[in-house]
Amino acid sequence: MEIREVVNKIKENGRVKIKEGNGSILELIGLDHWNPETDDYEGIFLFFDLFQIRTVARPFSDVSLDIVEFATKPTIYHTPVNNTLHNGPIEHGNIRFSVLRKEFWNKLLFAYAQPIIVQYSKIQEFDFQTEEYFPLLSAGTKEMFLSPEGDVKIHRS
């Protein structure tokens, strides 16, 4: 599977389905193509770098940024949504996001260069397949809430 092909498919259709190494089917959706009527509100924004967080979340304190930057295990963060974001998986004023550092997934996100949302597909059809494991499906994935003021609440460790 070529990353360029996946990125082109997202740009053409607004979304792509990938069967990852564990056999789960992920749907990657461009922000402009997320549909509140058909898509999952538990979707997660995926980023390749910290600077992308500000496009969907309120500005963070240095403490919160350090937690994201120095995390060693895959982590899903919950945080208040940026007031300029009106489309996407927003639940009770919060969004979920993760910064993926695993090489393959990081390169894919970097190549697309815009916020992308992942949701787990309920349909078994897919466009591409990879042997690469999606890091957020690992048993060690953590979840925590980060406030712009630096408050932290662990949901799952």
Side-chain angles (χ1 to χ4, degrees):
M1 176 177 85
E2 288 286 323
I3 288 175
R4 181 181 32 208
E5 294 173 21
V6 174
V7 169
N8 288 339
K9 180 97 171 176
I10 298 170
K11 288 180 179 179
E12 289 171 16
N13 299 338
R15 57 185 66 221
V16 67
K17 290 183 181 166
I18 300 173
K19 184 174 185 179
E20 56 85 54
N22 285 317
S24 295
I25 299 174
L26 310 170
E27 188 169 13
L28 302 179
I29 307 167
L31 181 57
D32 295 338
H33 290 87
W34 188 87
N35 184 337
E37 295 174 12
T38 58
D39 289 319
D40 192 348
Y41 276 91
E42 291 188 10
I44 303 165
F45 286 93
L46 300 179
F47 303 122
F48 64 87
D49 196 46
L50 290 177
F51 77 89
Q52 291 182 293
I53 296 170
R54 65 181 146 194
T55 61
V56 298
R58 291 188 191 155
F60 275 169
S61 70
D62 289 340
V63 171
S64 294
L65 276 176
D66 285 348
I67 289 171
V68 176
E69 183 175 5
F70 296 114
T72 57
K73 295 193 178 186
T75 306
I76 299 168
Y77 302 96
H78 302 241
T79 194
V81 67
N82 185 326
N83 294 336
T84 61
L85 182 67
H86 301 291
N87 188 43
I90 303 166
E91 277 192 302
H92 310 294
N94 293 321
I95 53 106
R96 297 168 12 139
F97 75 89
S98 187
V99 178
L100 299 185
R101 293 183 172 87
K102 193 167 180 187
E103 189 173 323
F104 170 80
W105 297 101
N106 184 276
K107 285 182 178 181
L108 191 152
L109 296 173
F110 180 79
Y112 187 65
Q114 298 175 36
I116 200 160
I117 300 163
V118 65
Q119 64 187 17
Y120 304 106
S121 181
K122 295 161 185 68
I123 301 170
Q124 293 303 305
E125 299 171 8
F126 54 91
D127 304 304
F128 298 98
Q129 184 170 357
T130 181
E131 295 301 315
E132 299 291 331
Y133 298 109
F134 187 64
L136 298 181
L137 294 175
S138 70
T141 300
K142 301 186 178 312
E143 266 190 80
M144 63 178 58
F145 175 84
L146 298 176
S147 78
E149 297 82 25
D151 298 329
V152 177
K153 180 178 178 185
I154 297 174
H155 288 283
R156 182 178 65 182
S157 61

